[in-house]
């Protein structure tokens, strides 16, 4: 046994590793070598990640519950230690107060050594102390678990206002800044936080209203000087003698700029009205009818660019302002026509999916990035150089579309097509047609 161990220690081959004469030698299995050379660090990292996933989410409530349980465990352990020391410090046998105690059979120290009765008392005392320690430890563990559970309940009760604050603030956006937390309860730090957030929401609401009012008022006031400029230009062009060729070209350029300014002012007014959510004259509107009307009006532009239009119009009705919804559909169609390629295509779909009415417009065009198309809902956002010309709109078309959809409690999604172009999906709350004789019409 000693020789074999020495041979292995010196690196001599074992019986399994010895080579029989005449047998070909072969290198170790490459798979085995790869496994042996595989570092253990990736496996350790994988195990750590799996352990983290298995652990519960470390919320404030969980941390407070564990903290309460830990504090109780520490204080309970301290109390147990003090109790044990006090009990252990008591005399190991009853005090002898009189000779009557001796007559009752209590033996004490004598010159010949310790009596049998005192020895038994010491053993019984040690057993009692051990039982006290064990049972107190079990009780401490049970109460620690109970304290963690009670701490979990109390932490949930204390953090309930914070959950209300979180849920409410998630629902508040620029469309419903009038909503407040309005927390109830005693005047403490949590309620002070709610009052502070309500004050912040009030200031934000005032700032948003002031901005929207300024845009609407400024746009309205700009109409008067633009009308005066157009009137002065028409009067000057109508005077005799006739204008020269250069003056006529200049007058045409000025009139084109005034038309652009009129469209911009009108777009500002529609955008401000949609952002403020001022919906009047609510009625039931058919999306297929709005799409058909918009395509019919833009038939000449479609023919000029040789655009192929595919319509998949199913019945889809929504409730809202017919004027704003018509403007929304018109702006989407204008965008699909304006930024399309000659000979391209436009596909329009209206459908109903559960409680939602959906309008989908797909158009050809240049390749766009998915990250950049999400910016199209912002005012004056154009993604390509060809989208900056003054003859290609004022840069508010899709912003108006997004604002109108939001005002009607809907959503809008911009998607870049893999073959080039843009896909716009608008979802609005569906209006269920009235029933007649038990049949939905």
């Amino acid at each position: 046994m000693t020789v074999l161990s020495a041979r292995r220690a010196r690196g001599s081959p074992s019986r399994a590793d010895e080579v029989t004469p005449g047998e070909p030698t072969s290198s170790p299995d490459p798979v085995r070598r790869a496994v042996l050379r595989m570092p253990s660090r990736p496996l350790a990292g994988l195990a750590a990640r799996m352990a983290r996933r298995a652990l519960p989410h470390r919320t404030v409530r969980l941390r407070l519950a564990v903290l309460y349980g830990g504090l109780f465990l520490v204080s309970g352990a301290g109390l147990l230690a003090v109790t044990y020391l006090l009990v252990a410090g008591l005399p190991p046998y009853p005090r002898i107060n009189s000779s009557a105690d001796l007559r009752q059979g209590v033996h004490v120290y004598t010159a010949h050594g310790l009596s049998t009765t005192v020895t038994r008392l010491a053993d019984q005392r040690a057993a009692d102390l051990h039982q006290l320690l064990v049972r107190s430890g079990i009780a401490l563990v049970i109460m620690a678990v109970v304290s963690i559970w009670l701490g979990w309940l109390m932490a949930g009760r204390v953090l309930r206002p914070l959950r209300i604050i979180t849920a409410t603030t998630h629902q508040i956006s620029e469309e419903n800044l009038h909503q407040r937390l309005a927390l109830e309860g005693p005047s403490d730090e949590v309620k002070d936080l709610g009052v502070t957030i309500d004050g912040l929401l009030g200031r934000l609401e005032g700032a948003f209203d002031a901005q929207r009012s300024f845009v609407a008022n400024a746009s309205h006031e700009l109409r008067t000087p633009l009308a005066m400029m157009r009137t002065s230009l028409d009067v000057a062009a109508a005077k005799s003698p006739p204008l020269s060729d250069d003056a006529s070209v200049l007058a045409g350029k000025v009139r084109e700029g005034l038309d652009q300014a009129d469209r911009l002012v009108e777009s500002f007014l529609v955008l401000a009205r949609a952002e403020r959510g001022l919906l009047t004259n609510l009625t039931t509107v058919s999306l297929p009818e709005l799409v058909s009307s918009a395509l019919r009006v833009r038939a000449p532009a479609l023919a000029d660019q040789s655009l192929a239009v595919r319509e998949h119009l199913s019945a889809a009705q929504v409730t809202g302002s017919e004027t704003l919804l018509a403007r929304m559909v018109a702006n989407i169609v204008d965008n699909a026509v304006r930024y399309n390629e000659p000979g391209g295509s436009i596909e329009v779909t209206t459908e109903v999916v559960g409680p939602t009415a959906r309008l989908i417009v797909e158009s050809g065009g240049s390749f766009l990035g998915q990250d950049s198309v999400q910016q199209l809902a912002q005012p004056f956002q154009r993604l390509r150089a060809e989208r900056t010309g003054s003859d290609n709109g004022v840069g508010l078309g899709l912003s108006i579309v997004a604002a109108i959809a939001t005002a009607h409690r809907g959503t809008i999604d911009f998607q870049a097509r893999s073959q080039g172009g843009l896909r716009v999906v608008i979802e609005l709350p569906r209006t269920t047609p009235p029933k007649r004789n038990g049949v939905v019409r």
Side-chain angles (χ1 to χ4, degrees), residues 220-273:
H220 183 74
E221 293 297 329
L222 283 175
R223 283 182 165 182
T224 300
L226 289 176
M228 293 178 59
M229 295 170 62
R230 187 181 299 276
T231 301
S232 300
L233 181 62
D234 293 339
V235 170
K239 287 184 178 181
S240 56
L243 298 177
S244 61
D245 294 340
D246 294 339
S248 298
V249 173
L250 180 60
K253 292 292 184 181
V254 173
R255 188 172 285 106
E256 181 180 349
L258 291 174
D259 293 338
Q260 182 77 1
D262 285 337
R263 290 195 298 269
L264 180 61
V265 169
E266 183 66 23
S267 299
F268 273 134
L269 288 173
V270 175
L271 181 60
R273 180 184 174 188

Side-chain angles (χ1 to χ4, degrees), residues 391-410:
D391 58 338
N392 283 342
V394 296
L396 293 175
L398 295 181
S399 301
I400 294 175
V401 171
I404 294 176
T406 303
H408 287 81
R409 296 180 291 111

Side-chain angles (χ1 to χ4, degrees), residues 262-289:
D262 285 337
R263 290 195 298 269
L264 180 61
V265 169
E266 183 66 23
S267 299
F268 273 134
L269 288 173
V270 175
L271 181 60
R273 180 184 174 188
E275 287 183 343
R276 298 182 66 179
L278 300 178
L279 303 180
T280 58
N281 300 325
L282 299 182
T283 183
T284 301
V285 182
S286 174
L287 291 180
E289 294 181 1

Side-chain angles (χ1 to χ4, degrees), residues 98-165:
S98 63
S99 60
D101 295 331
L102 294 175
R103 289 194 297 270
Q104 293 176 0
V106 177
H107 300 274
V108 297
Y109 285 98
T110 63
H112 301 287
L114 189 64
S115 67
T116 305
T117 304
V118 174
T119 304
R120 291 179 179 178
L121 287 175
D123 294 340
Q124 182 64 35
R125 177 182 177 82
D128 292 341
L129 289 177
H130 178 72
Q131 290 294 328
L132 174 64
L133 185 61
V134 172
R135 294 178 181 180
S136 299
I138 295 175
L140 179 62
V141 172
I142 295 175
M143 292 307 299
V145 175
V146 174
S147 66
I148 292 176
W149 177 69
L150 293 177
W152 174 267
L153 295 180
M154 295 305 298
R157 184 177 181 85
V158 172
L159 296 175
R160 185 181 303 168
L162 293 181
R163 291 197 298 269
I164 296 176
I165 292 176

Side-chain angles (χ1 to χ4, degrees), residues 295-315:
L295 292 176
R296 184 169 54 253
V297 172
R298 289 152 186 82
L302 295 172
D304 291 341
Q305 298 190 39
S306 302
L307 298 178
V309 180
R310 295 189 295 271
E311 303 179 26
H312 309 282
L313 305 180
S314 302

